[in-house]
């Protein structure tokens, strides 16, 4: 694979990596529960004991899922190679992100028996990689973690019932604005943000001095060029705002976390009109280097990525491909179903003047496209762009005074009921989307059949299939046939990503879906307008990250 970042030897993981360097695979272990804990934690999540030890395992297991990576994530990286999740024999759900070597990629399959070997990278680090184990009996049936097992799949907490209406209904989306959107605009991120913000304020019929709150996603993130956008303090200063409430951050129910927080802020009286924005300049940032992987160029990597990046799992494309592969294995989902998401997005983008890709996309184009991380090809991956989207969240009592009809927030979904880890999620045919969706429907009397348009995250095409199932538009494992039946096209029963989504409209990181939902509910979408659109759902995130909102034209 060539050069790769090394895992940082941190206090919590030092014993694990030291054992690997000495040729042993050892995990934090709770003697009371007889339970392995990975990644290492200071307490047992079953009994909360801190009397823990380390215990060696056999190093034998089976491939739970895998992807063949075809894209070099840094110059000179050798491809293709296999990234796999191996579930170890000692405990259901005890998995490692790793590589399978000493066999051709086409020979790797789910259920393949494997055993550990160690690849020495430095005096301190050896990586646990896996090779086929011919002595073990092959099987495609792996033990799934039981839904009653607390540490890996805790019983979801009951949702709070209330005698009054959900608090989010006291807020409305009063304005939306977007800057220029393009592949490489070479414009400053603050410049783009101010353009979008001023458009959103005007769209709401407000003055700049009416804005008394500000929020953004993801807050300060310094190691991913073009990803974070400007600080809320820079935007506040540039616009001369005096705010009573402000927030930015990365951890929460997906990229719409600040929208949900802003709704609760205005509902509680902390602010009256909140400016929420998301700005990206990822296309310009990659102009000279191309789209590189996480940790590319770094000597070492820390945190959860230390268990991913050294094995070449340097992109969410790799991580989500593991979910897609498992779904295909269990339900017979096919690449053509991913292709339907991509081709439908392009069909809709052709009706959106702001979409970055509007040329026709044929099935031949799709099948001939270069592979990124199997089963994903180029057209299954969203298109990095430069652009900013701003939304004004206002107190509901302001709705009658706005310049345009307010979009009402009927319900939000923010729940996360299982382990919030990409590789340890108990059932890779589901995602956090299922928890968030269940939460959303618990807060409204509306049902999936009431939804007129769905704006569902498509950072990778499989994520859209996952959201369709999570939100109840089809049954588990049925998203492939659902999209094949034509439901998601304009004119179908559930027009999907009518602006082209991130696959063709551009990676605005969740906020393009919000902008489109607002405009569809207002009836402003021209040729792509969904007739009589009264209810829209917006859903963002993938893997262990998810959030969703149900929006209505009025009540």
């Amino acid at each position: 694979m060539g050069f790769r970042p090394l895992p940082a030897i941190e206090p919590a993981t030092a014993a694990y990596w030291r054992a690997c360097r000495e040729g042993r695979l050892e995990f934090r272990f709770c003697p009371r529960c007889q339970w392995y804990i990975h990644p290492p934690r200071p307490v047992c999540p079953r009994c909360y004991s801190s009397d823990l030890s380390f215990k060696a395992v056999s190093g034998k297991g089976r491939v739970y899922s895998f992807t063949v990576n075809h894209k070099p994530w840094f110059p000179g990286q050798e491809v293709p190679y296999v990234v796999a999740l191996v579930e170890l024999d000692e405990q259901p759900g005890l998995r490692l992100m790793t590589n399978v070597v000493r066999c051709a990629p086409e020979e790797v399959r789910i259920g393949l028996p494997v055993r550990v070997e160690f690849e020495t990278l430095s005096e301190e680090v050896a990586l646990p990689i896996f090779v086929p184990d011919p002595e073990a009996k092959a099987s495609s049936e792996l033990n799934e973690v039981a839904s009653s097992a607390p540490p890996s799949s805790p019983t979801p907490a009951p949702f709070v019932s209330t005698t009054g209406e959900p608090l989010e209904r006291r807020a409305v989306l009063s304005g939306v604005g977007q800057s220029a959107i393009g592949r490489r605009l070479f414009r400053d991120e603050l410049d783009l943000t101010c353009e979008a913000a001023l458009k959103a304020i005007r769209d709401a019929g407000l003055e700049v001095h009416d804005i008394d709150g500000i929020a953004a996603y993801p807050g300060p993130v310094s190691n991913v060029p073009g990803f974070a956008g400007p600080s809320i303090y820079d935007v506040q200063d540039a616009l001369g705002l005096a705010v009573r409430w402000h927030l930015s951050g990365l951890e929460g129910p997906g990229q719409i976390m600040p929208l949900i927080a802003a709704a609760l802020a205005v509902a509680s009286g902390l602010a009256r009109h909140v400016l929420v924005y998301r700005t990206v300049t990822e296309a310009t940032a990659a102009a000279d280097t191309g789209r590189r992987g996480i940790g590319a160029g770094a000597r070492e990597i820390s945190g959860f990525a230390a268990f991913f990046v050294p094995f070449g799992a340097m992109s969410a494309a790799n991580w989500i491909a593991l979910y897609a592969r498992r779904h295909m294995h269990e339900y017979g989902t096919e690449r053509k179903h991913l292709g339907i998401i991509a081709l439908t997005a392009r069909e809709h983008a052709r009706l959106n003047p702001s979409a970055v890709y509007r040329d026709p996309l044929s099935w031949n184009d799709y099948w001939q496209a270069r592979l990124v991380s199997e089963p994903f090809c180029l057209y299954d991956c969203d298109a990095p762009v430069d652009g900013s989207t701003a939304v004004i969240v206002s107190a509901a009592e302001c709705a009658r005074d706005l310049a345009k009809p307010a979009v009402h927030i009927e319900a939000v979904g923010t729940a996360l009921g299982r382990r919030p880890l990409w590789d340890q999620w108990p059932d890779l045919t589901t995602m956090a989307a299922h928890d968030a969706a269940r939460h959303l429907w618990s807060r409204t009397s509306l049902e999936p059949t009431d939804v007129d348009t769905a704006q569902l995250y498509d950072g990778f095409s499989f994520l859209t299939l996952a959201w369709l199932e999570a939100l109840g538009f089809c049954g588990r494992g049925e998203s492939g046939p659902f999209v094949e039946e034509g439901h998601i096209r304009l004119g179908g029963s559930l027009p999907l990503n009518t602006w082209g989504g991130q696959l063709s409209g551009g990676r605005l990181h969740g906020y393009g879906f919000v902008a489109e939902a607002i405009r569809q509910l207002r009836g402003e979408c021209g040729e792509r307008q969904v007739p009589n659109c009264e209810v829209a759902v917006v859903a963002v995130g993938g893997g262990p990250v998810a959030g969703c909102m149900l929006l209505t034209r009025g009540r």
Side-chain angles (χ1 to χ4, degrees), residues 255-340:
Q255 300 91 322
I256 59 172
M257 178 266 292
L259 278 173
I260 295 172
L264 300 180
V266 301
S268 63
L270 287 173
R272 191 167 178 82
H273 300 288
V274 179
L275 166 65
V276 181
Y277 67 89
R278 177 72 179 105
T279 303
V280 289
T281 53
E282 292 179 296
T284 290
D288 295 328
T289 63
R291 199 171 187 180
R292 293 193 175 183
I294 297 168
R299 181 183 178 277
E300 63 180 21
I301 192 125
S302 60
F304 84 92
F307 294 101
F308 289 29
V309 169
F311 301 96
M314 302 178 74
S315 167
N318 303 131
W319 314 341
I320 295 167
L322 297 170
Y323 285 70
R325 178 78 74 177
R326 186 72 197 185
H327 196 276
M328 290 175 161
H329 171 74
E330 294 202 14
Y331 296 116
T333 308
E334 301 176 38
R335 274 198 68 200
K336 69 177 180 180
H337 298 133
L338 304 179
I340 291 170

Side-chain angles (χ1 to χ4, degrees), residues 115-243:
R115 57 180 173 81
V116 74
E117 292 187 353
F118 296 92
E119 180 182 357
T120 300
L121 298 185
S122 72
E123 293 182 359
E124 293 183 307
V125 174
L127 298 181
I129 58 174
F130 285 78
V131 300
D133 185 1
E135 298 179 0
K137 183 179 179 181
S139 172
S140 62
E141 297 300 322
L142 297 174
N143 292 325
E144 297 292 345
V145 178
S147 60
S148 60
S152 296
S153 184
T155 301
F159 298 130
V160 176
S161 59
T162 176
T163 55
E165 69 174 6
L167 199 61
E168 58 265 33
R169 293 187 195 168
R170 300 181 189 176
V172 297
L173 306 183
S174 59
V176 62
Q178 291 183 297
S179 70
I181 298 166
R183 284 285 287 159
R184 288 175 181 141
L185 299 180
F186 296 100
R187 284 177 58 185
D188 177 72
E189 59 187 13
L190 184 58
D191 176 30
L192 292 169
T193 305
C194 289
E195 180 186 348
L198 292 172
K199 286 181 177 179
I201 294 168
R202 287 195 296 269
D203 186 64
L206 300 173
E207 302 293 336
V208 173
H209 62 75
D210 292 319
I211 303 299
D212 59 356
I214 188 169
Y217 180 94
V221 177
S222 59
N223 59 346
V224 186
F227 176 75
S231 159
I232 57 172
Y233 301 125
D234 287 336
V235 176
Q236 178 186 357
D237 185 59
L239 297 178
L241 302 178
V243 302

Side-chain angles (χ1 to χ4, degrees), residues 531-553:
N532 303 312
C533 188
E534 296 184 353
V535 181
V537 66
V538 174
V540 301
V545 179
C548 47
M549 304 175 71
L550 192 65
L551 306 176
T552 67
R553 191 165 65 187

Side-chain angles (χ1 to χ4, degrees), residues 392-454:
I392 308 300
V393 181
S394 298
E397 61 264 25
C398 301
R400 62 182 177 273
D401 300 322
L402 299 172
K404 296 181 178 180
V407 168
H408 294 257
I409 303 173
E410 171 71 16
V412 300
T414 61
L416 179 58
R418 285 164 279 189
R419 294 189 70 186
L421 304 173
W422 286 92
D423 55 337
Q424 305 299 320
W425 191 261
D427 177 4
L428 261 62
T429 68
T430 70
M431 296 186 181
H434 290 69
D435 295 339
R438 189 170 72 93
H439 188 205
L440 178 136
W441 293 122
S442 77
R443 300 177 67 79
T444 178
S445 61
L446 295 178
E447 298 178 350
T449 52
D450 294 312
V451 175
D452 297 306
T453 182

